[in-house]
Amino acid sequence: MKQLWYTSPASVWEAALPLGNGRFGAMIFGGAKEDVFQLNDITLWSGGPDDGADRQDAYTYLPEIRRLVREKDFAAAQRMIIDHFTGIKDDTYYGSYATMGDIHVTMHHADEYTDYRRSLSLDEALADTAYTVDGVRYAREHFISAPAQTFVSRYTADKPGSIGMTVSYERPLTEVSVSDGDLVVTGKAGESGDMRFTVRIRVLTRGGTVTASADGTSLVVDGADEVLILVAGGTDYIPDASANYKRDDPAVMVRFTLDALYPDFNVIRAAHIADYKSYFDRVSLDIAGESRDDLPTDERIIRMSEDENVNDIGLVMLYYQFGRYLLICSSRPDNMLPANLQGIWNKDMKAPWNADYHSNINVQMNYWPAGPANLIKCIDPLCRYIEGLVENGRKTARAYYNVDGWMSGMNNNVFGHTSPGAGAPWGQFSVAGAWLCTHLYESYAFTQNKDVLARIYPVIRENVLFSLNSLIEDENGYLVTSPSASPENTYRTEDGLEGWVCEGATMDLQIIHETFRELVELGHILGGDEEFLARVEAADKKLRPLRIGAAGQLQEWSGDWDLLASERNHRHVSHLFGLHPGTMITPEDTPDLIEAAKKTLELRGDDGTGWSLAWKINFRARLGDGNHAYRHIRRILRYAGGSEGKFNYATGGGTYANLFDAHPPFQIDGNFGATAGICELLLQSHRVYENNTYVLYLLPALPDAFADGCVNGLCARGAFEVSMTWKNGTLSWAEITSRAGRPCVVRGNYTVLAGGEPIAVTYKDGLTLFDTAVGETYMLCPIA
């Protein structure tokens, strides 16, 4: 049983337990006397559409900025960028993701309780609480159903007539009333903007009574045997710029949701579990070793943190599956929006960093596990979101570069904001849209779905067009971006200048190469665009090559300034994009760059914020260094305590009591990045081989701590599903199921069987190649 559990209620938000159905979320505190359900809806944002975020004359300053950068007058170039080439961020319009408020359930029994336990089942997406008061055993079960679009909570007691409670609601900018027996909340997202929302709370009982309070702002239950609380919520947001992101009053939709629900707890529960398990049960991971399931989860985290000799492999497996759970709960295929910086869970009216879509790694990291962890349809909301940025992205490309195509800055909200950031250096990142496009590619690579390909190709093509139009030649004739910066980092030149702008930061060129390569691959599959693809291939060959610095490291900027940088251990390791998630740096194709990547990581150090540690797990996996990756897994599992956090922003993140990632504060990308990293330790498929095939690497970076185990249901590019068993660090056998009938290429030499009989294979370049049929499963046995 995969379960988080505790022996006391949550005293802070970071110890509460998350539930979600993709759109609607709740944090369950589990208080015995007073429980709190903190609610969220992924679409609830303050602010609104803003046509004034682009500087319309920015492109007129571009030639002078580029001249100053070329002449290495970086200080003057940076001043001009800040004054004329940043975005105009108006928080009134930009807005923030906002809490939907708190439901309070105040029990009428005595304050003192014993035998307390609360838990979250990852197997069934159920949160439970149980305790005893005056000899009566009280129990609660909570879940958020995707089929019913409803939060459901059942209260029971082992003595009839024992349940009494008051149900109330709290949030600024709301009105609360009782209507037709329901508690109805109407409100405004924030001080800015005009987004409205409605929450409707229905309380049903078996036995006892439900009445409105005297002031009409709460519901009171007395003498019940059982209580069922049903909650529906919604906003007037739609992701449609032509409709100004507005639809009709959500009160009608919310009322209909509850009225249409058959009020039988067991029926609703069974449908919820079946729906959820259709996602969660696709992958199982079982690694031999210590598993202290008998200890509360927070104690397990503390125990691993404080004693390096403790190796609770069960906690690592729980953490892995918790990442998959969070993705299912925050990004269902039919979501209006993708998971944000906090997934769907946020307690604040104005969230840290607005809980927006940071497109210089964070929203991308959210979706790294979608493919390999067998949740590829969970990427659909991100793909639709990217497609929705194109219209405004064209305007931004025209305003700043005066070219065709579309681009995006690194800050995005739910209203189509694509302008560059309003500050520096973080705001200067013209390839954010290109990085987002690599996820469109992933949605095809893992499915081989031609309908997906036809939909995403024009979006990627138009972003590539922007890159072609905005690249310039450097002094040596190579193509580079300008102005350019490495996300959020600064350098120091040989002359002592602290700066950030340059020509062709390494990450820019790696991302552009990736989109060029991907578009060419997809274009040749579709056909009919050969002239444009030839142009792309020619430009790709002219991109400035990656540079290795004097210390043997991969250079981050156009100059060899890495060792002079004021933050050598900076959390962003952007110039290793080509190692992960990109494909530009591989042991087979670029061994010199692999060594440079190793040196870069050595210089960067092993610590970092939560998501930075997660990225380093993936880096080490791509380097084949499973033991070093496992050290990062242990680091990210360091106990970060309550809401105050234990580790500071500069030196490192960790994990809160509820397994949320501590940046700090909470950011969900670290959870997703770590889950993706564990997938990378077991299976990789990023390297492209002949005829647009992908090389599958089985157990490419297995840590010693994972010596014996099995995994079922991981996915590889090319639409393959992979299961494996291994012992003493060596693969025993693997099963590969082909979902698209593509040729399969596997690193190493294997005997391959189908239906128990050997099939014809080709051994070439240290690889095993064989043809597959749709739906057929093949067993691979290593050849000694």
Side-chain angles (χ1 to χ4, degrees):
M1 179 181 293
K2 292 169 280 296
Q3 185 181 83
L4 287 68
W5 70 277
Y6 307 84
T7 57
S8 60
S11 59
V12 293
W13 188 85
E14 290 80 359
L17 296 174
L19 295 173
N21 67 359
R23 174 190 65 85
F24 199 30
M27 296 291 285
I28 312 300
F29 282 68
K33 179 65 176 178
E34 181 174 4
D35 205 354
V36 177
F37 313 140
Q38 185 269 309
L39 304 180
N40 287 108
D41 183 298
I42 198 168
T43 65
L44 186 60
W45 267 69
S46 61
D50 180 12
D51 292 331
D54 287 339
R55 296 182 188 272
Q56 297 303 322
D57 65 345
Y59 72 92
T60 65
Y61 295 90
L62 183 59
E64 179 64 8
I65 291 170
R66 284 173 165 170
R67 183 189 70 79
L68 292 169
V69 173
R70 177 66 55 87
E71 295 177 0
K72 298 183 171 51
D73 191 350
F74 300 129
Q78 288 166 183
R79 286 193 298 269
M80 185 168 285
I81 289 169
I82 291 169
D83 290 341
H84 302 291
F85 213 70
T86 52
I88 305 171
K89 185 180 177 185
D90 184 341
D91 285 338
T92 301
Y93 289 102
Y94 190 84
S96 173
Y97 186 48
T99 177
M100 206 173 215
D102 299 344
I103 296 175
H104 293 260
V105 179
T106 305
M107 303 298 293
H108 296 171
H109 57 54
D111 293 351
E112 300 299 320
Y113 58 89
T114 58
D115 302 324
Y116 180 94
R117 191 181 195 276
R118 66 185 174 101
S119 64
L120 173 65
S121 166
L122 302 186
D123 296 295
E124 298 181 324
L126 302 172
D128 295 298
T129 304
Y131 58 90
T132 301
V133 174
D134 294 334
V136 178
R137 188 68 175 167
Y138 292 88
R140 309 166 189 168
E141 188 171 64
H142 320 281
F143 58 89
I144 302 182
S145 167
Q149 287 296 305
T150 302
F151 172 86
V152 181
S153 181
R154 181 175 68 166
Y155 286 67
T156 60
D158 63 5
K159 180 181 178 182
S162 297
I163 303 177
M165 64 174 65
T166 299
V167 181
S168 59
Y169 177 93
E170 182 179 19
R171 185 193 188 271
L173 304 177
T174 57
E175 295 179 359
V176 183
S177 61
V178 175
S179 175
D180 294 332
D182 296 341
L183 196 63
V184 179
V185 181
T186 58
K188 193 180 171 192
E191 296 288 354
S192 64
D194 60 357
M195 188 182 295
R196 307 288 302 180
F197 73 93
T198 300
V199 175
R200 195 173 189 102
I201 304 166
R202 184 166 294 174
V203 178
L204 307 174
T205 66
R206 184 165 57 82
T209 61
V210 183
T211 58
S213 63
D215 63 2
T217 62
S218 60
L219 297 175
V220 180
V221 175
D222 284 310
D225 303 333
E226 180 179 311
V227 176
L228 189 62
I229 300 176
L230 305 173
V231 184
T235 76
D236 59 2
Y237 173 86
I238 55 171
D240 183 354
S242 64
N244 203 32
Y245 301 98
K246 298 285 290 181
R247 66 175 174 196
D248 294 336
D249 188 340
V252 175
M253 175 193 69
V254 168
R255 174 76 186 253
F256 176 81
T257 298
L258 291 185
D259 288 350
L261 187 63
Y262 182 64
D264 184 304
F265 176 80
N266 291 324
V267 171
I268 303 170
R269 182 181 187 274
H272 155 72
I273 291 174
D275 171 75
Y276 168 77
K277 289 176 77 68
S278 70
Y279 293 91
F280 187 77
D281 286 355
R282 296 174 187 176
V283 173
S284 64
L285 175 62
D286 187 9
I287 300 171
E290 181 185 45
S291 185
R292 293 303 304 271
D293 298 334
D294 59 311
L295 293 177
T297 303
D298 50 348
E299 292 184 22
R300 296 176 77 176
I301 302 169
I302 293 169
R303 187 168 168 266
M304 278 275 280
S305 301
E306 295 181 347
D307 188 346
E308 64 181 16
N309 295 314
V310 170
N311 194 26
D312 188 348
I313 290 294
L315 178 62
V316 176
M317 290 188 289
L318 184 70
Y319 186 70
Y320 169 78
Q321 292 287 18
F322 184 65
R324 296 185 66 247
Y325 167 84
L326 293 176
L327 189 57
I328 297 166
C329 291
S330 63
S331 191
R332 289 297 187 96
D334 59 353
N335 267 33
M336 284 189 187
L337 292 165
N340 60 43
L341 275 175
Q342 296 187 193
I344 55 172
W345 299 279
N346 164 48
K347 62 182 171 58
D348 300 308
M349 293 291 288
K350 180 174 171 54
W353 297 286
N354 304 304
D356 65 4
Y357 300 99
H358 271 37
S359 299
N360 66 355
I361 186 169
N362 310 97
V363 70
Q364 290 94 336
M365 185 180 284
N366 282 3
Y367 287 91
W368 287 355
N374 209 333
L375 297 170
I376 190 59
K377 290 294 289 179
C378 290
I379 206 173
D380 287 359
L382 178 65
C383 294
R384 288 193 296 272
Y385 180 78
I386 296 166
E387 292 163 12
L389 295 177
V390 172
E391 181 179 344
N392 283 349
R394 290 172 183 149
K395 299 174 185 177
T396 300
R398 183 61 62 185
Y400 287 82
Y401 293 87
N402 198 28
V403 298
D404 290 334
W406 76 273
M407 63 164 287
S408 175
M410 60 80 68
N411 286 114
N412 306 113
N413 63 11
V414 302
F415 306 112
H417 182 93
T418 56
S419 306
W426 57 270
Q428 185 59 46
F429 191 57
S430 63
V431 297
W435 192 347
L436 289 171
C437 282
T438 66
H439 286 269
L440 298 177
Y441 172 84
E442 293 286 75
S443 71
Y444 171 75
F446 277 94
T447 63
Q448 302 294 294
N449 185 315
K450 295 298 178 60
D451 292 334
V452 169
L453 173 57
R455 192 187 77 240
I456 66 174
Y457 184 80
V459 181
I460 302 174
R461 186 188 190 277
E462 193 170 348
N463 179 265
V464 166
L465 177 64
F466 166 76
S467 294
L468 291 173
N469 289 336
S470 59
L471 288 165
I472 64 171
E473 289 190 352
D474 70 4
E475 293 169 319
N476 299 308
Y478 291 119
L479 292 178
V480 294
T481 52
S482 182
S484 179
S486 193
E488 303 187 33
N489 203 2
T490 57
Y491 56 72
R492 184 184 291 116
T493 68
E494 301 87 345
D495 299 328
L497 171 70
E498 291 275 357
W500 43 266
V501 72
C502 70
E503 278 190 339
T506 298
M507 180 182 236
D508 280 10
L509 303 180
Q510 291 173 334
I511 290 174
I512 290 172
H513 163 75
E514 206 69 28
T515 56
F516 283 3
R517 179 194 67 78
E518 291 170 354
L519 186 82
V520 168
E521 176 189 328
L522 300 179
H524 286 316
I525 295 170
L526 276 177
D529 200 15
E530 302 309 316
E531 183 177 343
F532 185 76
L533 296 180
R535 182 183 170 195
V536 174
E537 288 183 291
D540 192 32
K541 293 174 183 177
K542 283 190 66 177
L543 289 173
R544 193 188 67 211
L546 304 185
R547 295 171 170 174
I548 297 174
Q553 89 289 359
L554 189 65
Q555 286 185 197
E556 184 166 359
W557 296 278
S558 52
D560 191 2
W561 304 319
D562 300 65
L563 270 65
L564 302 173
S566 56
E567 284 190 75
R568 280 178 50 181
N569 63 342
H570 196 271
R571 61 195 177 278
H572 285 263
V573 196
S574 303
H575 46 316
L576 293 192
F577 173 93
L579 176 64
H580 183 278
T583 64
M584 200 172 183
I585 303 173
T586 66
E588 296 88 347
D589 302 321
T590 58
D592 55 335
L593 295 178
I594 283 288
E595 293 305 312
K598 291 177 181 177
K599 187 64 176 179
T600 294
L601 289 172
E602 176 190 325
L603 293 171
R604 213 55 149 202
D606 278 352
D607 230 323
T609 56
W611 63 261
S612 180
L613 291 171
W615 202 358
K616 290 175 182 177
I617 297 169
N618 288 272
F619 286 145
R620 292 296 177 179
R622 289 278 174 96
L623 291 171
D625 190 351
N627 287 333
H628 207 141
Y630 188 69
R631 292 207 295 273
H632 290 308
I633 293 172
R634 291 191 63 108
R635 279 188 172 86
I636 206 169
L637 278 169
R638 294 176 300 188
Y639 185 59
S643 60
E644 76 286 349
K646 185 177 179 181
F647 300 95
N648 68 48
Y649 182 81
T651 60
T655 295
Y656 291 116
N658 62 359
L659 290 186
F660 270 173
D661 170 63
H663 176 68
F666 164 56
Q667 277 187 203
I668 204 166
D669 41 17
N671 290 104
F672 293 139
T675 290
I678 293 171
C679 289
E680 289 277 325
L681 296 175
L682 304 174
L683 175 67
Q684 296 176 19
S685 61
H686 56 285
R687 183 170 172 245
V688 180
Y689 191 59
E690 299 170 350
N691 301 316
N692 296 329
T693 57
Y694 305 89
V695 180
L696 277 61
Y697 295 75
L698 310 181
L699 306 181
L702 197 69
D704 292 343
F706 290 8
D708 301 325
C710 62
V711 65
N712 295 294
L714 294 181
C715 289
R717 294 165 186 84
F720 297 104
E721 188 169 309
V722 180
S723 299
M724 296 175 283
T725 294
W726 63 92
K727 191 169 182 61
N728 296 324
T730 301
L731 183 72
S732 301
W733 56 267
E735 282 188 350
I736 298 178
T737 300
S738 176
R739 300 300 183 197
R742 292 292 311 279
C744 188
V745 182
V746 185
R747 182 72 176 173
N749 294 332
Y750 298 90
T751 299
V752 182
L753 297 89
E757 297 296 325
I759 65 169
V761 301
T762 299
Y763 300 110
K764 178 183 177 183
D765 300 330
L767 307 170
T768 300
L769 297 80
F770 58 97
D771 292 327
T772 73
V774 176
E776 188 71 55
T777 298
Y778 302 86
M779 176 171 279
L780 278 67
C781 300
I783 297 175

